[in-house]
Short mmCIF file of all heavy atoms in Angstrom, two decimals:
data_model
loop_
_atom_site.label_atom_id
_atom_site.label_comp_id
_atom_site.label_asym_id
_atom_site.label_seq_id
_atom_site.Cartn_x
_atom_site.Cartn_y
_atom_site.Cartn_z
N LYS I 1 10.13 10.65 -8.52
CA LYS I 1 9.18 10.03 -9.52
C LYS I 1 9.45 8.56 -9.58
O LYS I 1 10.57 8.09 -9.71
CB LYS I 1 9.36 10.76 -10.86
CG LYS I 1 8.33 10.26 -11.83
CD LYS I 1 8.46 11.06 -13.13
CE LYS I 1 7.49 10.49 -14.11
NZ LYS I 1 7.56 11.25 -15.37
N LYS I 2 8.39 7.78 -9.63
CA LYS I 2 8.46 6.30 -9.70
C LYS I 2 7.32 5.88 -10.67
O LYS I 2 6.21 6.13 -10.48
CB LYS I 2 8.27 5.69 -8.33
CG LYS I 2 8.31 4.26 -8.29
CD LYS I 2 9.70 3.67 -8.36
CE LYS I 2 9.72 2.18 -8.18
NZ LYS I 2 11.10 1.69 -8.48
N GLU I 3 7.75 5.05 -11.71
CA GLU I 3 6.75 4.54 -12.67
C GLU I 3 6.19 3.28 -12.05
O GLU I 3 6.96 2.33 -11.83
CB GLU I 3 7.38 4.34 -14.03
CG GLU I 3 6.48 3.76 -15.05
CD GLU I 3 5.33 4.74 -15.35
OE1 GLU I 3 5.55 5.97 -15.56
OE2 GLU I 3 4.10 4.29 -15.45
N LEU I 4 4.87 3.16 -11.83
CA LEU I 4 4.26 1.97 -11.26
C LEU I 4 3.69 0.98 -12.26
O LEU I 4 3.55 -0.16 -11.94
CB LEU I 4 3.21 2.42 -10.29
CG LEU I 4 3.61 3.24 -9.10
CD1 LEU I 4 2.43 3.72 -8.30
CD2 LEU I 4 4.65 2.55 -8.25
N ASN I 5 3.36 1.49 -13.46
CA ASN I 5 2.84 0.61 -14.42
C ASN I 5 1.53 -0.03 -13.96
O ASN I 5 1.29 -1.19 -14.16
CB ASN I 5 3.80 -0.37 -14.96
CG ASN I 5 4.97 0.24 -15.66
OD1 ASN I 5 4.74 1.22 -16.45
ND2 ASN I 5 6.19 -0.24 -15.43
N ALA I 6 0.73 0.65 -13.18
CA ALA I 6 -0.49 0.13 -12.61
C ALA I 6 -1.44 1.26 -12.34
O ALA I 6 -1.11 2.40 -12.34
CB ALA I 6 -0.17 -0.60 -11.27
N SER I 7 -2.75 0.87 -12.22
CA SER I 7 -3.85 1.81 -11.87
C SER I 7 -3.84 2.08 -10.40
O SER I 7 -3.93 1.12 -9.59
CB SER I 7 -5.14 1.28 -12.31
OG SER I 7 -5.16 1.18 -13.74
N VAL I 8 -3.77 3.36 -9.99
CA VAL I 8 -3.84 3.67 -8.58
C VAL I 8 -4.91 4.70 -8.46
O VAL I 8 -4.87 5.76 -9.02
CB VAL I 8 -2.49 4.25 -8.12
CG1 VAL I 8 -2.56 4.68 -6.64
CG2 VAL I 8 -1.36 3.25 -8.25
N VAL I 9 -6.00 4.40 -7.72
CA VAL I 9 -7.06 5.36 -7.50
C VAL I 9 -7.06 5.99 -6.17
O VAL I 9 -7.70 6.93 -5.88
CB VAL I 9 -8.46 4.77 -7.81
CG1 VAL I 9 -8.57 4.27 -9.25
CG2 VAL I 9 -8.70 3.46 -6.94
N ALA I 10 -6.31 5.45 -5.22
CA ALA I 10 -6.21 5.88 -3.90
C ALA I 10 -4.92 6.77 -3.79
O ALA I 10 -3.93 6.44 -4.43
CB ALA I 10 -6.16 4.77 -2.86
N GLU I 11 -4.95 7.72 -2.92
CA GLU I 11 -3.73 8.52 -2.71
C GLU I 11 -2.68 7.66 -1.94
O GLU I 11 -2.99 6.92 -1.12
CB GLU I 11 -4.05 9.78 -1.89
CG GLU I 11 -4.78 10.84 -2.60
CD GLU I 11 -4.93 12.09 -1.77
OE1 GLU I 11 -3.96 12.42 -1.06
OE2 GLU I 11 -5.98 12.75 -1.89
N PRO I 12 -1.41 7.85 -2.32
CA PRO I 12 -0.38 7.15 -1.59
C PRO I 12 -0.38 7.66 -0.15
O PRO I 12 -0.70 8.81 0.16
CB PRO I 12 0.97 7.53 -2.28
CG PRO I 12 0.49 8.04 -3.63
CD PRO I 12 -0.79 8.55 -3.49
N LEU I 13 0.02 6.79 0.79
CA LEU I 13 0.13 7.11 2.16
C LEU I 13 1.60 7.47 2.50
O LEU I 13 2.52 6.61 2.23
CB LEU I 13 -0.31 5.92 3.01
CG LEU I 13 -0.23 6.05 4.59
CD1 LEU I 13 -1.15 7.23 5.01
CD2 LEU I 13 -0.57 4.81 5.24
N ILE I 14 1.83 8.68 2.93
CA ILE I 14 3.23 9.11 3.22
C ILE I 14 3.43 8.96 4.73
O ILE I 14 2.78 9.64 5.53
CB ILE I 14 3.40 10.58 2.77
CG1 ILE I 14 2.91 10.73 1.32
CG2 ILE I 14 4.87 10.99 2.95
CD1 ILE I 14 3.64 9.96 0.28
N LEU I 15 4.44 8.22 5.11
CA LEU I 15 4.82 8.07 6.50
C LEU I 15 6.16 8.80 6.60
O LEU I 15 6.71 9.33 5.68
CB LEU I 15 4.93 6.57 6.89
CG LEU I 15 3.68 5.78 6.68
CD1 LEU I 15 3.88 4.30 6.97
CD2 LEU I 15 2.50 6.32 7.46
N LYS I 16 6.71 8.78 7.84
CA LYS I 16 8.00 9.45 8.09
C LYS I 16 9.10 9.06 7.07
O LYS I 16 9.72 9.97 6.52
CB LYS I 16 8.44 9.21 9.50
CG LYS I 16 9.62 9.89 9.84
CD LYS I 16 10.00 9.61 11.31
CE LYS I 16 11.26 10.34 11.77
NZ LYS I 16 11.62 10.07 13.15
N ASP I 17 9.31 7.82 6.93
CA ASP I 17 10.40 7.31 6.02
C ASP I 17 9.94 6.28 4.98
O ASP I 17 10.77 5.62 4.44
CB ASP I 17 11.54 6.79 6.88
CG ASP I 17 11.13 5.62 7.74
OD1 ASP I 17 9.87 5.36 7.89
OD2 ASP I 17 11.97 4.93 8.26
N LYS I 18 8.61 6.24 4.75
CA LYS I 18 8.08 5.19 3.88
C LYS I 18 6.94 5.79 3.05
O LYS I 18 6.27 6.75 3.49
CB LYS I 18 7.55 4.04 4.63
CG LYS I 18 8.74 3.25 5.33
CD LYS I 18 8.10 2.02 6.12
CE LYS I 18 9.16 1.23 6.74
NZ LYS I 18 9.76 1.84 7.96
N ILE I 19 6.75 5.22 1.88
CA ILE I 19 5.62 5.63 1.00
C ILE I 19 4.81 4.40 0.65
O ILE I 19 5.43 3.38 0.18
CB ILE I 19 6.07 6.30 -0.25
CG1 ILE I 19 6.79 7.59 0.04
CG2 ILE I 19 4.90 6.56 -1.15
CD1 ILE I 19 7.58 8.14 -1.08
N ILE I 20 3.60 4.28 1.07
CA ILE I 20 2.75 3.10 0.79
C ILE I 20 1.80 3.37 -0.31
O ILE I 20 1.13 4.44 -0.31
CB ILE I 20 1.89 2.71 2.06
CG1 ILE I 20 2.76 2.69 3.31
CG2 ILE I 20 1.13 1.46 1.84
CD1 ILE I 20 3.68 1.52 3.43
N VAL I 21 1.79 2.50 -1.33
CA VAL I 21 0.94 2.66 -2.46
C VAL I 21 0.06 1.51 -2.62
O VAL I 21 0.55 0.29 -2.56
CB VAL I 21 1.74 2.80 -3.78
CG1 VAL I 21 0.87 2.97 -5.01
CG2 VAL I 21 2.74 3.99 -3.74
N ALA I 22 -1.30 1.69 -2.66
CA ALA I 22 -2.27 0.61 -2.84
C ALA I 22 -2.79 0.68 -4.27
O ALA I 22 -3.52 1.64 -4.59
CB ALA I 22 -3.34 0.76 -1.81
N GLN I 23 -2.49 -0.31 -5.08
CA GLN I 23 -2.97 -0.32 -6.44
C GLN I 23 -4.37 -0.86 -6.54
O GLN I 23 -4.75 -1.67 -5.63
CB GLN I 23 -2.00 -1.16 -7.27
CG GLN I 23 -0.62 -0.54 -7.32
CD GLN I 23 0.38 -1.51 -8.05
OE1 GLN I 23 1.57 -1.23 -7.94
NE2 GLN I 23 0.01 -2.52 -8.75
N TYR I 24 -5.04 -0.47 -7.59
CA TYR I 24 -6.43 -0.99 -7.68
C TYR I 24 -6.46 -2.48 -7.84
O TYR I 24 -7.49 -3.08 -7.34
CB TYR I 24 -7.10 -0.30 -8.94
CG TYR I 24 -8.56 -0.66 -9.09
CD1 TYR I 24 -9.53 -0.09 -8.26
CD2 TYR I 24 -8.95 -1.62 -10.00
CE1 TYR I 24 -10.86 -0.50 -8.39
CE2 TYR I 24 -10.24 -2.06 -10.14
CZ TYR I 24 -11.20 -1.41 -9.29
OH TYR I 24 -12.53 -1.85 -9.39
N ASP I 25 -5.46 -3.06 -8.40
CA ASP I 25 -5.49 -4.57 -8.60
C ASP I 25 -5.16 -5.28 -7.26
O ASP I 25 -5.13 -6.56 -7.30
CB ASP I 25 -4.52 -4.97 -9.68
CG ASP I 25 -3.05 -4.73 -9.27
OD1 ASP I 25 -2.71 -4.26 -8.19
OD2 ASP I 25 -2.21 -5.04 -10.19
N GLY I 26 -4.99 -4.59 -6.15
CA GLY I 26 -4.89 -5.19 -4.81
C GLY I 26 -3.43 -5.33 -4.31
O GLY I 26 -3.24 -5.75 -3.20
N LEU I 27 -2.44 -4.90 -5.09
CA LEU I 27 -1.05 -4.95 -4.60
C LEU I 27 -0.72 -3.71 -3.80
O LEU I 27 -0.97 -2.59 -4.21
CB LEU I 27 -0.10 -4.99 -5.80
CG LEU I 27 1.33 -5.26 -5.49
CD1 LEU I 27 1.51 -6.62 -4.86
CD2 LEU I 27 2.23 -5.13 -6.75
N ILE I 28 -0.22 -4.02 -2.56
CA ILE I 28 0.16 -2.91 -1.72
C ILE I 28 1.69 -2.95 -1.64
O ILE I 28 2.25 -3.98 -1.37
CB ILE I 28 -0.41 -3.16 -0.25
CG1 ILE I 28 -1.93 -3.23 -0.29
CG2 ILE I 28 0.01 -2.02 0.72
CD1 ILE I 28 -2.55 -3.87 0.91
N THR I 29 2.33 -1.79 -1.93
CA THR I 29 3.77 -1.73 -1.92
C THR I 29 4.30 -0.65 -1.10
O THR I 29 3.71 0.41 -1.06
CB THR I 29 4.24 -1.51 -3.45
OG1 THR I 29 3.73 -2.50 -4.22
CG2 THR I 29 5.79 -1.68 -3.47
N CYS I 30 5.36 -0.99 -0.35
CA CYS I 30 6.00 0.00 0.48
C CYS I 30 7.39 0.34 -0.10
O CYS I 30 8.15 -0.55 -0.47
CB CYS I 30 6.19 -0.61 1.89
SG CYS I 30 7.03 0.44 3.05
N TYR I 31 7.60 1.65 -0.27
CA TYR I 31 8.85 2.16 -0.83
C TYR I 31 9.58 2.98 0.19
O TYR I 31 8.86 3.62 1.06
CB TYR I 31 8.56 3.05 -2.09
CG TYR I 31 7.99 2.34 -3.22
CD1 TYR I 31 6.55 2.39 -3.40
CD2 TYR I 31 8.75 1.63 -4.05
CE1 TYR I 31 5.99 1.72 -4.45
CE2 TYR I 31 8.14 0.94 -5.19
CZ TYR I 31 6.82 0.97 -5.39
OH TYR I 31 6.17 0.30 -6.37
N ASP I 32 10.85 3.09 0.13
CA ASP I 32 11.58 4.13 0.96
C ASP I 32 11.49 5.42 0.19
O ASP I 32 10.99 5.48 -0.90
CB ASP I 32 12.97 3.64 1.28
CG ASP I 32 13.89 3.58 0.00
OD1 ASP I 32 13.56 4.16 -1.04
OD2 ASP I 32 15.00 2.92 0.10
N THR I 33 12.01 6.45 0.81
CA THR I 33 11.85 7.79 0.25
C THR I 33 12.66 8.01 -1.03
O THR I 33 12.58 9.05 -1.74
CB THR I 33 12.19 8.91 1.23
OG1 THR I 33 13.49 8.63 1.79
CG2 THR I 33 11.12 8.92 2.33
N SER I 34 13.57 7.01 -1.36
CA SER I 34 14.29 7.11 -2.62
C SER I 34 13.65 6.31 -3.70
O SER I 34 14.13 6.29 -4.78
CB SER I 34 15.71 6.53 -2.36
OG SER I 34 16.45 7.24 -1.43
N GLY I 35 12.47 5.66 -3.37
CA GLY I 35 11.76 4.90 -4.47
C GLY I 35 12.11 3.44 -4.54
O GLY I 35 11.72 2.82 -5.41
N ASN I 36 12.95 2.97 -3.57
CA ASN I 36 13.31 1.50 -3.59
C ASN I 36 12.20 0.73 -2.88
O ASN I 36 11.79 1.14 -1.83
CB ASN I 36 14.66 1.35 -2.82
CG ASN I 36 15.72 2.11 -3.54
OD1 ASN I 36 15.96 1.99 -4.71
ND2 ASN I 36 16.44 2.94 -2.73
N LYS I 37 11.80 -0.37 -3.51
CA LYS I 37 10.77 -1.28 -2.90
C LYS I 37 11.34 -1.91 -1.67
O LYS I 37 12.35 -2.49 -1.68
CB LYS I 37 10.26 -2.25 -3.88
CG LYS I 37 9.15 -3.08 -3.28
CD LYS I 37 8.50 -3.91 -4.34
CE LYS I 37 9.35 -4.94 -5.00
NZ LYS I 37 8.59 -5.84 -5.90
N ILE I 38 10.63 -1.80 -0.54
CA ILE I 38 10.93 -2.50 0.77
C ILE I 38 10.18 -3.81 0.80
O ILE I 38 10.74 -4.83 1.14
CB ILE I 38 10.63 -1.59 1.96
CG1 ILE I 38 11.45 -0.26 1.87
CG2 ILE I 38 10.92 -2.33 3.23
CD1 ILE I 38 11.00 0.75 2.87
N TRP I 39 8.95 -3.76 0.61
CA TRP I 39 8.03 -4.98 0.57
C TRP I 39 6.80 -4.73 -0.25
O TRP I 39 6.51 -3.63 -0.53
CB TRP I 39 7.68 -5.47 1.99
CG TRP I 39 6.98 -4.43 2.85
CD1 TRP I 39 7.66 -3.61 3.80
CD2 TRP I 39 5.60 -4.05 2.85
NE1 TRP I 39 6.58 -2.80 4.37
CE2 TRP I 39 5.41 -3.09 3.80
CE3 TRP I 39 4.56 -4.47 2.16
CZ2 TRP I 39 4.18 -2.52 4.07
CZ3 TRP I 39 3.26 -3.95 2.43
CH2 TRP I 39 3.15 -2.95 3.39
N ASP I 40 6.13 -5.84 -0.56
CA ASP I 40 4.80 -5.76 -1.18
C ASP I 40 3.92 -6.90 -0.60
O ASP I 40 4.39 -7.87 -0.07
CB ASP I 40 4.79 -5.72 -2.65
CG ASP I 40 5.47 -6.88 -3.38
OD1 ASP I 40 5.59 -7.94 -2.70
OD2 ASP I 40 5.78 -6.81 -4.56
N PHE I 41 2.59 -6.72 -0.83
CA PHE I 41 1.61 -7.62 -0.33
C PHE I 41 0.46 -7.65 -1.29
O PHE I 41 0.00 -6.60 -1.68
CB PHE I 41 1.09 -7.21 1.07
CG PHE I 41 -0.04 -8.08 1.61
CD1 PHE I 41 0.23 -9.27 2.19
CD2 PHE I 41 -1.40 -7.61 1.55
CE1 PHE I 41 -0.79 -10.06 2.70
CE2 PHE I 41 -2.41 -8.41 1.96
CZ PHE I 41 -2.14 -9.66 2.51
N ASP I 42 0.01 -8.86 -1.64
CA ASP I 42 -1.17 -8.92 -2.67
C ASP I 42 -2.40 -9.25 -1.81
O ASP I 42 -2.43 -10.32 -1.19
CB ASP I 42 -0.84 -9.99 -3.69
CG ASP I 42 -1.77 -9.98 -4.82
OD1 ASP I 42 -2.88 -9.32 -4.72
OD2 ASP I 42 -1.50 -10.54 -5.90
N SER I 43 -3.37 -8.39 -1.93
CA SER I 43 -4.66 -8.59 -1.15
C SER I 43 -5.59 -9.46 -1.93
O SER I 43 -6.60 -9.87 -1.45
CB SER I 43 -5.28 -7.26 -0.86
OG SER I 43 -5.72 -6.68 -2.01
N PHE I 44 -5.29 -9.77 -3.21
CA PHE I 44 -6.16 -10.53 -4.14
C PHE I 44 -7.57 -9.96 -4.19
O PHE I 44 -8.58 -10.63 -4.22
CB PHE I 44 -6.19 -12.04 -3.69
CG PHE I 44 -4.87 -12.68 -3.75
CD1 PHE I 44 -4.10 -12.87 -2.61
CD2 PHE I 44 -4.30 -13.10 -4.97
CE1 PHE I 44 -2.85 -13.45 -2.71
CE2 PHE I 44 -3.14 -13.61 -5.09
CZ PHE I 44 -2.35 -13.81 -3.91
N GLY I 45 -7.63 -8.60 -4.15
CA GLY I 45 -8.94 -7.89 -4.26
C GLY I 45 -8.65 -6.60 -4.97
O GLY I 45 -7.54 -6.40 -5.49
N ASN I 46 -9.63 -5.71 -4.91
CA ASN I 46 -9.48 -4.42 -5.56
C ASN I 46 -9.51 -3.36 -4.42
O ASN I 46 -10.31 -3.41 -3.53
CB ASN I 46 -10.61 -4.11 -6.52
CG ASN I 46 -10.63 -5.13 -7.64
OD1 ASN I 46 -11.52 -5.96 -7.67
ND2 ASN I 46 -9.67 -5.05 -8.57
N ILE I 47 -8.54 -2.43 -4.53
CA ILE I 47 -8.39 -1.39 -3.53
C ILE I 47 -8.67 -0.04 -4.10
O ILE I 47 -8.06 0.34 -5.12
CB ILE I 47 -6.99 -1.39 -2.86
CG1 ILE I 47 -6.75 -2.78 -2.24
CG2 ILE I 47 -6.87 -0.30 -1.84
CD1 ILE I 47 -5.30 -2.95 -1.72
N ALA I 48 -9.59 0.74 -3.56
CA ALA I 48 -10.06 2.03 -4.10
C ALA I 48 -9.88 3.15 -3.05
O ALA I 48 -10.30 4.21 -3.31
CB ALA I 48 -11.49 1.99 -4.59
N SER I 49 -9.34 2.80 -1.86
CA SER I 49 -9.18 3.83 -0.83
C SER I 49 -7.82 3.77 -0.18
O SER I 49 -7.14 2.77 -0.32
CB SER I 49 -10.18 3.70 0.25
OG SER I 49 -10.10 2.43 0.88
N THR I 50 -7.43 4.93 0.29
CA THR I 50 -6.02 5.05 0.93
C THR I 50 -6.02 4.27 2.14
O THR I 50 -6.90 4.27 3.04
CB THR I 50 -5.76 6.50 1.22
OG1 THR I 50 -5.81 7.27 -0.01
CG2 THR I 50 -4.36 6.67 1.81
N PRO I 51 -4.94 3.45 2.37
CA PRO I 51 -4.73 2.64 3.64
C PRO I 51 -4.60 3.66 4.86
O PRO I 51 -4.18 4.80 4.62
CB PRO I 51 -3.46 1.90 3.42
CG PRO I 51 -3.29 1.88 1.90
CD PRO I 51 -3.90 3.09 1.40
N ALA I 52 -4.92 3.19 5.96
CA ALA I 52 -4.77 3.97 7.20
C ALA I 52 -3.56 3.39 7.97
O ALA I 52 -3.37 2.15 7.95
CB ALA I 52 -6.03 4.01 8.02
N GLU I 53 -2.84 4.24 8.68
CA GLU I 53 -1.70 3.75 9.54
C GLU I 53 -1.89 4.32 10.94
O GLU I 53 -2.20 5.47 11.12
CB GLU I 53 -0.37 4.22 8.94
CG GLU I 53 0.85 3.62 9.56
CD GLU I 53 1.26 4.55 10.84
OE1 GLU I 53 0.94 5.68 10.86
OE2 GLU I 53 2.04 3.99 11.68
N LYS I 54 -1.58 3.44 11.89
CA LYS I 54 -1.60 3.83 13.29
C LYS I 54 -0.66 2.93 14.05
O LYS I 54 -0.74 1.72 13.98
CB LYS I 54 -3.01 3.67 13.90
CG LYS I 54 -3.18 4.05 15.32
CD LYS I 54 -3.09 5.51 15.61
CE LYS I 54 -3.34 5.80 17.06
NZ LYS I 54 -3.06 7.13 17.46
N ASP I 55 0.25 3.53 14.78
CA ASP I 55 1.25 2.83 15.61
C ASP I 55 1.96 1.74 14.88
O ASP I 55 2.18 0.67 15.45
CB ASP I 55 0.59 2.21 16.82
CG ASP I 55 -0.07 3.31 17.75
OD1 ASP I 55 0.51 4.44 17.81
OD2 ASP I 55 -1.10 3.06 18.41
N GLY I 56 2.30 2.00 13.63
CA GLY I 56 3.13 1.03 12.89
C GLY I 56 2.28 -0.02 12.18
O GLY I 56 2.90 -0.95 11.59
N TYR I 57 1.00 0.03 12.24
CA TYR I 57 0.15 -0.98 11.62
C TYR I 57 -0.68 -0.31 10.48
O TYR I 57 -1.25 0.77 10.69
CB TYR I 57 -0.88 -1.59 12.61
CG TYR I 57 -0.12 -2.49 13.55
CD1 TYR I 57 0.28 -2.04 14.75
CD2 TYR I 57 0.22 -3.82 13.25
CE1 TYR I 57 0.99 -2.85 15.70
CE2 TYR I 57 0.87 -4.64 14.08
CZ TYR I 57 1.26 -4.19 15.35
OH TYR I 57 1.99 -4.98 16.20
N LEU I 58 -0.69 -1.01 9.35
CA LEU I 58 -1.43 -0.51 8.22
C LEU I 58 -2.67 -1.25 8.04
O LEU I 58 -2.75 -2.49 8.11
CB LEU I 58 -0.51 -0.71 6.92
CG LEU I 58 -1.05 -0.21 5.62
CD1 LEU I 58 -0.84 1.27 5.57
CD2 LEU I 58 -0.27 -0.89 4.50
N THR I 59 -3.82 -0.58 7.82
CA THR I 59 -5.11 -1.21 7.64
C THR I 59 -5.64 -0.77 6.25
O THR I 59 -5.63 0.34 5.93
CB THR I 59 -6.16 -0.76 8.70
OG1 THR I 59 -5.58 -1.07 10.00
CG2 THR I 59 -7.42 -1.54 8.60
N VAL I 60 -6.07 -1.79 5.50
CA VAL I 60 -6.55 -1.61 4.14
C VAL I 60 -7.71 -2.53 3.89
O VAL I 60 -7.73 -3.64 4.36
CB VAL I 60 -5.47 -1.73 3.11
CG1 VAL I 60 -4.96 -3.09 3.02
CG2 VAL I 60 -5.90 -1.23 1.73
N ALA I 61 -8.68 -2.00 3.18
CA ALA I 61 -9.93 -2.76 2.83
C ALA I 61 -9.98 -2.95 1.34
O ALA I 61 -9.57 -2.10 0.59
CB ALA I 61 -11.19 -2.15 3.40
N THR I 62 -10.49 -4.14 0.89
CA THR I 62 -10.78 -4.32 -0.51
C THR I 62 -12.26 -4.13 -0.81
O THR I 62 -13.12 -4.15 0.09
CB THR I 62 -10.42 -5.77 -0.94
OG1 THR I 62 -11.31 -6.69 -0.30
CG2 THR I 62 -8.87 -6.07 -0.56
N LEU I 63 -12.55 -3.89 -2.15
CA LEU I 63 -13.96 -3.79 -2.53
C LEU I 63 -14.75 -5.06 -2.36
O LEU I 63 -15.93 -5.16 -2.33
CB LEU I 63 -14.04 -3.37 -4.02
CG LEU I 63 -13.47 -1.98 -4.29
CD1 LEU I 63 -13.46 -1.67 -5.77
CD2 LEU I 63 -14.27 -0.93 -3.54
N GLN I 64 -14.00 -6.23 -2.22
CA GLN I 64 -14.63 -7.52 -2.01
C GLN I 64 -15.01 -7.76 -0.51
O GLN I 64 -15.60 -8.75 -0.21
CB GLN I 64 -13.69 -8.67 -2.55
CG GLN I 64 -13.57 -8.74 -3.97
CD GLN I 64 -12.77 -7.60 -4.63
OE1 GLN I 64 -11.95 -6.97 -3.99
NE2 GLN I 64 -12.95 -7.40 -5.91
N GLY I 65 -14.66 -6.84 0.34
CA GLY I 65 -15.05 -6.91 1.70
C GLY I 65 -13.98 -7.49 2.62
O GLY I 65 -14.31 -7.70 3.81
N ASP I 66 -12.76 -7.69 2.17
CA ASP I 66 -11.67 -8.13 3.02
C ASP I 66 -10.99 -6.97 3.72
O ASP I 66 -10.84 -5.91 3.18
CB ASP I 66 -10.66 -8.94 2.24
CG ASP I 66 -11.30 -10.16 1.69
OD1 ASP I 66 -11.94 -10.94 2.43
OD2 ASP I 66 -11.06 -10.49 0.51
N LEU I 67 -10.59 -7.13 5.02
CA LEU I 67 -9.87 -6.14 5.77
C LEU I 67 -8.60 -6.76 6.19
O LEU I 67 -8.51 -7.79 6.80
CB LEU I 67 -10.70 -5.66 6.98
CG LEU I 67 -10.12 -4.67 7.83
CD1 LEU I 67 -10.05 -3.27 7.08
CD2 LEU I 67 -10.92 -4.48 9.14
N TYR I 68 -7.49 -5.99 5.86
CA TYR I 68 -6.15 -6.52 6.21
C TYR I 68 -5.47 -5.56 7.16
O TYR I 68 -5.60 -4.26 6.94
CB TYR I 68 -5.23 -6.63 4.94
CG TYR I 68 -5.74 -7.72 4.00
CD1 TYR I 68 -6.51 -7.40 2.92
CD2 TYR I 68 -5.42 -9.01 4.20
CE1 TYR I 68 -6.98 -8.43 2.09
CE2 TYR I 68 -5.86 -9.99 3.33
CZ TYR I 68 -6.58 -9.68 2.28
OH TYR I 68 -7.07 -10.69 1.40
N THR I 69 -4.75 -6.06 8.08
CA THR I 69 -3.88 -5.20 8.99
C THR I 69 -2.47 -5.77 8.82
O THR I 69 -2.22 -6.94 9.07
CB THR I 69 -4.39 -5.28 10.39
OG1 THR I 69 -5.69 -4.83 10.50
CG2 THR I 69 -3.45 -4.48 11.30
N LEU I 70 -1.56 -4.90 8.52
CA LEU I 70 -0.17 -5.32 8.22
C LEU I 70 0.76 -4.47 9.09
O LEU I 70 0.50 -3.35 9.39
CB LEU I 70 0.20 -5.04 6.76
CG LEU I 70 -0.72 -5.58 5.68
CD1 LEU I 70 -0.34 -5.06 4.29
CD2 LEU I 70 -0.65 -7.13 5.68
N ASN I 71 1.86 -5.18 9.59
CA ASN I 71 2.82 -4.42 10.38
C ASN I 71 3.78 -3.77 9.34
O ASN I 71 4.47 -4.38 8.61
CB ASN I 71 3.61 -5.46 11.22
CG ASN I 71 4.53 -4.81 12.14
OD1 ASN I 71 5.03 -3.75 11.92
ND2 ASN I 71 4.85 -5.48 13.24
N VAL I 72 3.77 -2.42 9.38
CA VAL I 72 4.63 -1.65 8.39
C VAL I 72 6.02 -1.90 8.75
O VAL I 72 6.82 -2.00 7.88
CB VAL I 72 4.28 -0.21 8.56
CG1 VAL I 72 5.20 0.62 7.58
CG2 VAL I 72 2.90 0.15 8.17
#
């Protein structure tokens, strides 16, 4: 269990050894399976959908129309 103190409308993305959470306020955070933060990224937009992952790259879109691809 991890208290985020934020609004999350998208389901977290569960990878082999990481958990990716995209908050509605645009903050994307990567946690290890123990709940420790590995990194975060601010998209400066609103996120309402679960990010997608393929081959170690994370893709996420904001409601403002921005598309980000991040190396997990």
Side-chain angles (χ1 to χ4, degrees):
K1 182 176 178 178
K2 179 77 174 173
E3 183 62 45
L4 299 175
N5 296 318
S7 296
V8 177
V9 296
E11 287 188 35
L13 178 64
I14 310 299
L15 305 176
K16 183 177 180 180
D17 59 348
K18 295 178 178 75
I19 301 167
I20 309 290
V21 178
Q23 297 173 192
Y24 184 76
D25 67 1
L27 188 65
I28 303 163
T29 307
C30 178
Y31 297 96
D32 66 17
T33 54
S34 296
N36 300 308
K37 182 168 63 172
I38 300 171
W39 56 261
D40 60 15
F41 174 81
D42 194 343
S43 70
F44 298 101
N46 300 106
I47 300 173
S49 62
T50 302
E53 186 272 338
K54 177 74 174 167
D55 298 329
Y57 290 95
L58 184 75
T59 303
V60 63
T62 67
L63 294 175
Q64 288 72 21
D66 295 314
L67 181 67
Y68 293 96
T69 302
L70 307 171
N71 187 334
V72 177

